Amino acid sequence: MTHLLIVIIYLSFISLGLPDGMLGAAWPSMYPQWNVPVSYAGIVSMIIAAGTIVSSLMSERLTRKLGAGGVTALSVAVTALSLFGFSISNSFFMLCLWGIPYGLGAGSVDAALNNFVALHYSSRHMSWLHCFWGVGCSIGPYILGACLTGGLGWNSGYQMVGLLQVVLTAILFFSLPLWKKKDRENREEQGSGEEKAVPFGLKRALKLPGVREVLLSFFCYCAIEQTTGLWAASYAVLARDISAEEAARWASLFYLGITAGRFLSGFLTLRFSDRQMIRLGQGVCLLGLIFLFLSIGNWAVQGAFLLLGLGCAPIYPSLIHSTPRNFGKQASQAVIGLQMACAYVGSCLMPPVFGLLADFVSIHLLPVFLLVLLVLMVWMAEQMNRRVAGAAAPAE
């Protein structure tokens, strides 16, 4: 039964990724129908991100009431409904309205699933699960592209992915006893008592030593990932005079690096701790930026994008997996909710900030921008390690 639950969790992570790349893939076919500017995709993305941030902050209370399995099942059901809503939208306004439940469903399930895995499974599963999220991110646009190629339209792509989410929702509801059993085992490990049934609370979590530092680490990591993903191709075109088609292939190396790196990280975690994996990833990111700074040929830029992906791969899963150990199991759901919220803020805020720099200064600043974020992330992660160690020292 334990093996069955981990299979369901893997399916859930694929489900998390399925819709993530669909808006970008569908938008060229969507916006001409409604006579809106191409830039309006950013409005939809911001609405989804805002809902995700709100639900991430609410994740602890929801998980305490419904359990991780209940939150996951409910959130996937809401996401499925939202995808069907997208498919029947006949105006930009309707799309924005359906983006609200889409975002609300995404944040709570992300926080609940990550905390559940951090509590119950080893670091290798965390890396592989996030690798499977990347698989989902690839499958969603592929399904949508197949629908467009077959003349079915973008609406059919959203409907097909929505149907997949409905099937997973049914599986999740039938598997709720397995999730509850795991939750019960975790409560027994912590001990019984009324205090365990009370949410730890966001204000209380923010006061824990090292929490504010780890939140900034998440902000910086997601800012690096999303800024690189959004601007890598434009950098190749404008700074290296590469064709748009070739630049798209170069940029895909970044995501290839993340997906392959997380698969490889699952094996490396058998030998290295979460902290060592984070430092290893940061070091590989630095190497990638050195390649990006060097003007020694196009191969260096391609290598930089691949190395940045490989470096990013272990950081996010390892930061999440180390949360219960750093801040305690009772506080982990509240802390991970805060981490997810800060991650989404970084993803949402920093790529447009660099866009302004590219517009008003130069796109050549991309390596400098990423280096500043990387240095801040390394500094905050090390400060977090020191504060956590300092808080634990008297107990030793």
Side-chain angles (χ1 to χ4, degrees):
M1 299 299 278
T2 301
H3 296 301
L4 177 59
L5 181 56
I6 193 63
V7 169
I8 292 170
I9 293 172
Y10 271 90
L11 289 174
S12 299
F13 267 83
I14 293 175
S15 168
L16 266 178
L18 276 174
D20 283 359
M22 291 185 67
L23 180 62
W27 190 247
S29 302
M30 296 168 79
Y31 79 88
Q33 295 182 10
W34 303 322
N35 295 316
V36 297
V38 65
S39 60
Y40 274 30
I43 297 175
V44 183
S45 179
M46 291 281 284
I47 290 170
I48 294 171
T52 307
I53 292 167
V54 170
S55 60
S56 295
L57 295 175
M58 294 169 56
S59 65
E60 188 197 13
R61 291 186 177 276
L62 286 173
T63 305
R64 295 272 180 176
K65 289 181 178 179
L66 304 177
V71 170
T72 303
L74 180 61
S75 297
V76 174
V78 171
T79 304
L81 178 64
S82 302
L83 292 174
F84 282 114
F86 270 39
S87 74
I88 62 172
S89 294
N90 55 16
S91 69
F92 178 74
F93 179 71
M94 280 189 66
L95 196 71
C96 290
L97 286 181
W98 284 110
I100 297 172
Y102 180 178
L104 291 173
S108 53
V109 66
D110 203 356
L113 269 178
N114 277 300
N115 185 58
F116 190 85
V117 175
L119 288 172
H120 299 297
Y121 295 98
S122 63
S123 184
R124 70 178 184 275
H125 281 298
M126 185 68 84
S127 293
W128 288 336
L129 285 163
H130 281 273
C131 174
F132 271 69
W133 171 84
V135 171
C137 284
S138 303
I139 293 174
Y142 179 82
I143 292 173
L144 195 139
C147 289
L148 291 173
T149 304
L152 298 175
W154 61 267
N155 312 72
S156 297
Y158 273 101
Q159 288 168 5
M160 288 185 180
V161 174
L163 282 173
L164 290 176
Q165 301 282 53
V166 169
V167 172
L168 179 60
T169 299
I171 293 172
L172 286 166
F173 274 111
F174 281 116
S175 70
L176 285 179
L178 298 177
W179 297 79
K180 290 176 181 177
K181 181 180 178 183
K182 274 287 186 181
D183 282 331
R184 187 165 56 250
E185 290 173 359
N186 183 54
R187 285 196 299 269
E188 289 172 357
E189 287 175 8
Q190 293 183 48
S192 58
E194 289 298 319
E195 186 181 354
K196 302 299 185 294
V198 178
F200 192 84
L202 299 180
K203 290 183 179 179
R204 189 177 169 195
L206 280 169
K207 294 178 182 178
L208 292 173
V211 164
R212 296 186 183 188
E213 288 80 2
V214 81
L215 295 184
L216 280 172
S217 296
F218 269 88
F219 177 93
C220 291
Y221 168 79
C222 288
I224 290 171
E225 181 184 304
Q226 292 299 313
T227 303
T228 305
L230 182 62
W231 292 103
S234 298
Y235 177 83
V237 172
L238 298 174
R240 300 285 176 160
D241 294 323
I242 304 301
S243 69
E245 295 78 14
E246 187 69 14
R249 286 192 287 271
W250 287 20
S252 69
L253 291 172
F254 174 67
Y255 291 106
L256 175 64
I258 290 179
T259 304
R262 284 178 178 166
F263 179 76
L264 179 62
S265 294
F267 296 101
L268 292 177
T269 55
L270 299 174
R271 183 177 180 87
F272 300 106
S273 67
D274 287 329
R275 187 174 298 180
Q276 290 171 324
M277 292 297 296
I278 293 166
R279 288 170 174 166
L280 175 63
Q282 292 167 342
V284 175
C285 281
L286 179 60
L287 181 60
L289 287 177
I290 291 172
F291 271 57
L292 202 57
F293 272 108
L294 298 175
S295 299
I296 52 177
N298 290 339
W299 66 268
V301 181
Q302 297 177 65
F305 292 155
L306 182 62
L307 285 169
L308 280 167
L310 289 170
C312 285
I315 297 174
Y316 190 84
S318 298
L319 277 171
I320 294 173
H321 189 265
S322 61
T323 300
R325 188 191 69 245
N326 287 334
F327 306 110
K329 291 183 177 181
Q330 188 186 357
S332 64
Q333 184 64 70
V335 175
I336 287 180
L338 286 166
Q339 288 171 347
M340 295 297 100
C342 285
Y344 292 123
V345 171
S347 300
C348 187
L349 182 63
M350 298 313 285
V353 168
F354 178 74
L356 293 174
L357 284 174
D359 269 346
F360 293 103
V361 186
S362 172
I363 200 165
H364 289 81
L365 287 175
L366 180 63
V368 178
F369 188 81
L370 295 176
L371 181 61
V372 171
L373 289 170
L374 178 62
V375 170
L376 181 58
M377 176 176 63
V378 172
W379 174 252
M380 287 295 104
E382 294 304 318
Q383 286 290 100
M384 183 267 293
N385 291 334
R386 282 192 282 272
R387 295 208 65 191
V388 168
E396 296 173 359

